[in-house]
Amino acid sequence: MNILDKITLDKRKEVELRKSLIPVSQLEKSVLFEIQTISLATNLRNSKSGIIAEHKRRSPSKSVINNALNVQDVAKGYESAGVCGMSVLTDAKYFGGSLDDLLTARASCNLPLLRKEFIIDEYQLLEAKAYGADVILLIAAILTRDEIKQFSEFAKSLNLDVLLEVHNKEELHKSIMPSLDMLGVNNRNLKTFDVSLDTSKTLSNLIPDDFVKVSESGISNIQAIKELQPYGYQGFLIGENFMKTNNPGKSATAFIKTLEG
């Protein structure tokens, strides 16, 4: 059983519990449910840097990355750095995140916010909307084609952008459909945790140009981005690189200045 299977199994139990505690009607009454969402896909299309910066305390592959920072400072720092969007991990057990992190980020900045989560139920999309997300992540490795269609269409009905993540050709082929905005290629092999930018390069020409191409994992330097841009990538998700410093906003500022310089 790989880590993704384990996380998904735990997530199913967690979502059942959440559904029993907070009814859909309560989520729909959230003040944030009615606010206008900000499109990450549009931001990426119009950006020179394409950086999506992440708030992540820990991960299964790296254990603790940074527990000392508060989300408000990170969100404000990223916004002033000029990132295109912010990804907020909301999984507690494996990543140390929460929906409250999303709420705090929403109160602290005007960036498009991606709820980074293992989505296996429509209920989580309603949560995302109620807690201030603009974008949701769907992971092809844990969903069937029918689920991808169901969740992406439901997300669009809530005015949420959809980023779909793939790891290989098979996942990509089953996933391509009009209800997606962005296709993300994760460069990390989930069985071995090895990271290779070749994954993004190999899959790039299989992704139709209607979608914004996003590369995820293993992007820790300017060189990686310069290498991927000729392959049509407009978005780059940077997780650990900024978070492992004392001031992620400052790190992101320096990174983007150099990149655009």
Side-chain angles (χ1 to χ4, degrees), residues 230-243:
Y231 290 86
Y233 285 92
Q234 291 176 294
F236 305 93
L237 184 77
I238 299 187
E240 286 151 25
N241 203 39
F242 302 144
M243 279 302 291

Side-chain angles (χ1 to χ4, degrees), residues 31-226:
V31 179
L32 294 172
F33 213 83
E34 298 308 318
I35 66 166
Q36 183 68 43
T37 50
I38 316 160
S39 171
L40 175 61
T42 304
N43 272 14
L44 293 175
R45 277 200 180 94
N46 298 327
S47 165
K48 276 202 299 190
S49 70
I51 303 297
I52 306 160
E54 196 153 77
H55 179 271
K56 175 158 72 169
R57 292 186 180 86
R58 54 185 162 89
S59 76
S61 61
K62 289 270 165 73
S63 62
V64 174
I65 298 160
N66 197 332
N67 277 330
L69 302 167
N70 73 58
V71 183
Q72 185 180 3
D73 291 343
V74 176
K76 287 185 164 158
Y78 282 160
E79 186 170 36
S80 66
V83 304
C84 290
M86 178 175 173
S87 163
V88 182
L89 259 305
T90 60
D91 173 79
K93 184 170 180 180
Y94 295 90
F95 292 87
S98 73
L99 276 163
D100 283 345
D101 289 341
L102 190 57
L103 213 49
T104 306
R106 176 74 298 144
S108 312
C109 70
N110 283 317
L111 292 167
L113 297 180
L114 164 71
R115 180 184 186 190
K116 187 90 173 285
E117 184 52 274
F118 301 84
I119 287 178
I120 41 90
D121 194 300
E122 275 188 5
Y123 180 82
Q124 292 161 289
L125 305 183
L126 292 165
E127 280 183 327
K129 181 78 173 159
Y131 282 82
D134 303 281
V135 194
I136 55 118
L137 174 75
L138 296 177
I139 301 171
I142 62 173
L143 300 169
T144 63
R145 181 175 172 84
D146 286 346
E147 286 173 325
I148 293 168
K149 187 173 189 299
Q150 178 196 344
F151 297 157
S152 58
E153 287 177 357
F154 187 57
K156 296 315 292 173
S157 77
L158 296 169
N159 288 321
L160 296 167
D161 266 11
V162 180
L163 167 63
L164 182 109
E165 177 183 296
V166 299
H167 296 85
N168 55 42
K169 217 188 305 194
E170 294 69 40
E171 289 176 12
L172 183 60
H173 285 317
K174 78 168 179 187
S175 307
I176 291 177
M177 55 187 75
S179 43
L180 310 174
D181 300 286
M182 295 161 281
L183 267 159
V185 177
N186 193 330
N187 301 306
R188 177 172 281 125
N189 180 318
L190 293 170
K191 294 185 176 74
T192 61
F193 283 131
D194 292 341
V195 172
S196 167
L197 295 184
D198 289 343
T199 312
S200 281
K201 292 175 185 174
T202 310
L203 294 181
S204 67
N205 60 350
L206 302 174
I207 302 172
D209 291 335
D210 328 359
F211 306 106
V212 176
K213 298 180 196 179
V214 178
S215 186
E216 311 169 15
S217 292
I219 298 167
S220 54
N221 55 39
I222 307 284
Q223 181 53 35
I225 292 178
K226 297 270 192 227

